[in-house]
Amino acid sequence: MKYYILFGPPGAGKGTHGAALVEKYNLKHISTGDLLRGEIAAGTELGKQAKALIDAGALVPDAVVEGMIESAFDKFTGVEGFLLDGFPRTEGQARDLDAILAKRGEEVTAVLSIMISDELIYKRIQHRAAIEGRADDANDEIIANRIRTYHNQTEPLIAYYKAAGKYHEVDGGSPVTEENRARVLAMMESL
Ligand code: AP5
Ligand code: MG
């Protein structure tokens, strides 16, 4: 099985471009953000605990998302692999993912990183707020916290995966979505 990580700051286009990748390469798209929003919508206990953290632009505990990832690995078969979107997001999650995969005799295949500037994060998310109605897109304070959380807790993973020789990056900042998608697909082709 292939285990790809789709990496990037909030609003980089992980969800947007991930959709094209999973179709072309027969992968299962696992977005921890989408799974958590599903739990909130279903009114589960996990969803209730996660909601306050998500609405503040903070991360939910590592153990929560790791549990969701492991059950997804168990549940989905008949695919060539997985495209992890929004996971891992802390060094702890990255190390735990390595351990989870090692137990299965597997490893991370590659990290595909989509980069955009902080300025563009605001523009993209403010635009999406009106379309998707996500609570964590709703005000600039929350967006600012998500950007801070990304720089403090998630950005160090770039060095982690560079050291492992698995890190690949493209610029996702073109105003034309198709241009960004072509770059992401070309990065995947080059692996
Ligand atoms: P999550 O849902 O993962 O949110 P995120 O990382 O902030 O990323 P987004 O979904 O906002 O952005 P995206 O990169 O998918 O961009 P998109 O394709 O939509 O996580 C939400 C929360 O859940 C976290 O804050 C945390 O609390 C919790 N959580 C999730 N995973 C966790 C974990 N592992 N550990 C702990 N907590 C976790 O694109 C953005 C928009 O831009 C779209 O509307 C798109 O149409 C638009 N757009 C406009 N122009 C372009 C263009 N030229 N190219 C691409 N897109 C464009
Ligand atoms: Mg997303």
Side-chain angles (χ1 to χ4, degrees):
M1 292 286 259
K2 304 281 191 192
Y3 292 88
Y4 296 104
I5 295 169
L6 197 51
F7 184 88
K14 300 182 294 296
T16 304
H17 305 308
L21 287 176
V22 294
E23 196 175 320
K24 182 155 189 220
Y25 293 95
N26 185 27
L27 304 169
K28 176 67 191 169
H29 190 173
I30 304 177
S31 156
T32 41
D34 287 349
L35 291 175
L36 289 165
R37 283 185 288 278
E39 297 281 342
I40 293 169
T44 65
E45 199 48 47
L46 193 159
K48 282 177 197 151
Q49 286 168 14
K51 184 170 172 25
L53 291 163
I54 293 176
D55 288 354
L59 297 180
V60 306
D62 290 351
V64 170
V65 285
E66 288 165 13
M68 296 194 311
I69 288 284
E70 280 207 84
S71 34
F73 288 164
D74 288 337
K75 186 167 159 195
F76 297 104
T77 53
V79 288
E80 297 292 319
F82 294 89
L83 186 71
L84 306 180
D85 163 351
F87 177 89
R89 243 168 155 105
T90 63
E91 276 198 59
Q93 289 178 21
R95 289 181 204 289
D96 290 343
L97 175 62
D98 286 344
I100 289 166
L101 292 179
K103 270 194 304 187
R104 295 167 179 264
E106 303 275 9
E107 61 176 304
V108 170
T109 307
V111 178
L112 294 96
S113 174
I114 309 171
M115 270 309 135
I116 63 170
S117 66
D118 287 1
E119 195 190 1
L120 196 50
I121 296 175
Y122 276 101
K123 286 199 191 133
R124 292 252 182 101
I125 291 182
Q126 284 164 345
H127 170 78
R128 188 180 60 189
I131 300 167
E132 292 188 14
R134 267 173 60 172
D136 62 343
D137 286 351
N139 80 51
D140 287 353
E141 187 61 28
I142 301 174
I143 300 171
N145 274 340
R146 287 162 67 192
I147 294 173
R148 264 195 295 277
T149 302
Y150 167 77
H151 287 303
N152 291 338
Q153 299 194 54
T154 306
E155 208 166 44
L157 293 187
I158 295 174
Y160 182 88
Y161 286 113
K162 273 186 179 168
K166 295 188 174 179
Y167 185 79
H168 307 264
E169 182 179 303
V170 287
D171 176 5
S174 165
V176 183
T177 304
E178 281 312 319
E179 273 180 26
N180 296 323
R181 181 169 296 138
R183 284 181 201 153
V184 172
L185 287 168
M187 172 168 57
M188 187 76 162
E189 284 294 330
S190 75
L191 296 176

